Amino acid sequence: MSTLTGTGGLIRLILRRDRVRLPAWFGLVAMLVIGVASSVAAAYPTEEARQAFLHTTNGDPTQLMMIGPIYDSSAGGLAAWRVRGQAALLIALASLLLVIRSTRAEEEAGRSELLGSAVVGRHAALTAALTVAFAANLVTALVVTLGLMGQGLPPRGSLVMGLSVAAAGWVFAAVAGLAAQLTEGSRTAGGLAATAMGILYAVRAGADVEKSSWVSWLSPFGWTQHMRPFAGDHYWPLLPVIGLILLLVAGAYRMSARRDLGAGILPPRLGPADAAPSLRTSLALAWRLQRGTLLAWAVAFTAFGAGLGGAARSAAEQLHASEALRELIERMGGGGRPADGFFAFVIYLMSQVITLYAIQATLRLRAEEISGRADLILTGPVGRLRWAGGHLAIVAAGSGIVLAGLGVGMGLVHGLSTGDPGGEIARLVGASLTRLPSVLVLAAVSTLAYGLLPRLAAIIPYAALGLCLVLEFAVELLGADPVILQVSPFAQTPGLPVAAFTVTPLVLLAVVATGLTAVGLAGLRRRDLG
């Protein structure tokens, strides 16, 4: 029997199982690129306006860090710049999750062992997952190409734009395939791959801020950026992309051949023979299950905050040149030092990223239910609400810890440069924690979906977060009335440290989060598990 026997059947199984997720994730990326491209011409109708925007943006370290430089002032060049960072991260995350879900998660749940008892080759599952991921990225590239061409943009630039987006997805599908062979747990494998993605994006960001072109070649995000759609239309940066993919896939197959089914290359750490007395409560168990993910997010955002704190002084010197950023800061409340405007902006953006942690941690309830571990716990003297409440308490506290870590990193490094580290840490930790109610509203949406619509629990909260981002794009690029942002919880919290602190919106968001959570828990109490 060939090691690839049964690959076709597993591909059909993945397509059937993820028939909703695949169009939702990858379709969102394609529509984001096409939608932003359609709005650029209206937002910047003249060459003079586009040139002015290029000049100010390329001198703004915040934009360089978050997205990168603009290479051309044409409508296509501005569209490619505006959306490439978000599109690359979204499609990389979608590809990563798809491969982990179709390989390591299937082994962890025991379904791969059942399939392996039939005529299925050793490498069939990995091959099927990578095939679907690569094909989904290719289809996304084709949709983006056709969508941009339909708006009158040049065909060559449209194709390069589509391929540059797909290339990020291909790379991190391969990264996930390798990570799935290393560990026994799907969450650990996903964490490894996501950490690699974050580090490589940070390398690209640092290279653009320092305007060091050779450093950008250390990151696949830099390679795709150098394809320069509508600004040279280079295909050759795909060569290192293809080379890295072949290297990663070869490593994944080699490791797959060496390990046992259900095991990973890296041996798991053996636990004690007897459980510690501290594990007698559901809250303690939730902490044990969630602490690894929380620690990774907290360390990553503390380190990232330190990098932001180091860039704050140079960023403050150039903020006055960015009209768009000044307008955003004015909507947040205006006033304060230029560095405060920089911190308010990045805290606003990072709170949306940290929301991914809150959603992920909340959905651990669904993972415990599907795996059957929740049944074992609930057969004892532990009620459903007590079990779920332990996890939700960790979500709330963990979100606050990650936000505080961001503030500590920024405040410490920036404070050392100003001579007041204690004062800066206090100010920026407070500014970061002010965003906590917004994050918890999205966590409450996750709880609501889990309690009432568990099969859609992995879709609804991410769709809600995506809606908040779409509304921001509508205001920023389409000139929509900023009033529509009131739907987004992120627009409700005061933009510290530039805005004045007001407690009313925080209380209202807390009430909304509590209400949604209560409804979700009521649904969990009444429905069947499994």
Side-chain angles (χ1 to χ4, degrees), residues 280-374:
R280 290 175 179 171
T281 67
S282 57
L283 178 62
L285 178 60
W287 164 248
R288 176 64 65 89
L289 294 173
Q290 300 261 17
R291 66 183 182 183
T293 302
L294 172 57
L295 179 62
W297 277 83
V299 170
F301 271 85
T302 302
F304 189 60
L308 294 173
R313 175 165 288 186
S314 60
E317 295 173 354
Q318 303 176 46
L319 282 179
H320 68 277
S322 176
E323 181 180 351
L325 192 54
R326 285 202 309 271
E327 292 177 355
L328 176 60
I329 293 172
E330 288 174 3
R331 289 204 300 267
M332 290 180 176
R337 301 173 298 175
D340 288 345
F342 171 78
F343 286 128
F345 181 60
V346 296
I347 290 172
Y348 177 73
L349 292 179
M350 290 303 102
S351 67
Q352 297 172 344
V353 179
I354 292 170
T355 301
L356 293 174
Y357 159 76
I359 294 174
Q360 178 188 28
T362 303
L363 293 180
R364 184 61 187 261
L365 289 167
R366 178 63 176 164
E368 293 294 297
E369 178 183 343
I370 293 175
S371 67
R373 292 187 291 267

Side-chain angles (χ1 to χ4, degrees), residues 13-14 19 38 125 223 239 295 329 357 375 399-400 411-412 444 501 519 529:
L13 177 62
I14 294 172
R19 60 187 181 275
S38 67
W223 304 346
L239 294 176
L295 179 62
I329 293 172
Y357 159 76
D375 289 337
S399 300
L412 177 62
F501 176 78
V519 175
L529 291 182

Side-chain angles (χ1 to χ4, degrees), residues 12-58:
R12 292 191 293 273
L13 177 62
I14 294 172
L15 293 175
R16 178 176 177 80
R17 184 196 61 200
D18 290 340
R19 60 187 181 275
V20 175
R21 286 184 176 88
L22 284 172
W25 270 104
F26 292 92
L28 172 64
V29 175
M31 293 303 103
L32 176 66
V33 176
I34 296 170
V36 169
S38 67
S39 66
V40 166
Y44 307 100
T46 66
E47 177 64 22
E48 291 77 10
R50 293 193 293 268
Q51 283 286 355
F53 183 74
L54 181 150
H55 177 73
T56 57
T57 298
N58 284 347

Side-chain angles (χ1 to χ4, degrees), residues 30-31 33-34 37 138-163 230:
M31 293 303 103
V33 176
I34 296 170
L138 181 59
V139 170
T140 303
L142 293 175
V143 172
V144 168
T145 301
L146 295 175
L148 296 181
M149 289 174 59
Q151 297 178 29
L153 293 176
R156 181 183 175 93
S158 300
L159 177 59
V160 172
M161 181 64 195
L163 290 176
F230 307 107

Side-chain angles (χ1 to χ4, degrees), residues 26 87-100 126 129-138 162-180 189 192-201 216-225 227 237-252:
F26 292 92
L89 287 174
L90 280 174
I91 204 165
L93 182 61
S95 302
L96 183 158
L97 294 175
L98 171 62
V99 173
I100 295 295
L126 177 60
L130 292 175
T131 300
V132 173
F134 290 160
N137 281 278
L138 181 59
L163 290 176
S164 69
V165 172
W170 289 331
V171 167
F172 286 96
V175 169
L178 180 64
L192 286 175
T195 299
M197 182 176 70
I199 291 173
L200 292 173
Y201 197 83
S216 68
W217 286 102
L218 301 178
S219 168
F221 291 110
W223 304 346
T224 60
Q225 183 172 295
M227 293 179 71
L238 284 175
L239 294 176
V241 169
I242 294 171
L244 179 60
I245 291 172
L246 292 176
L247 184 64
L248 292 170
V249 170

Side-chain angles (χ1 to χ4, degrees), residues 493-507:
T493 47
L496 273 64
V498 296
F501 176 78
T502 54
V503 71
T504 303
L506 305 184
V507 173

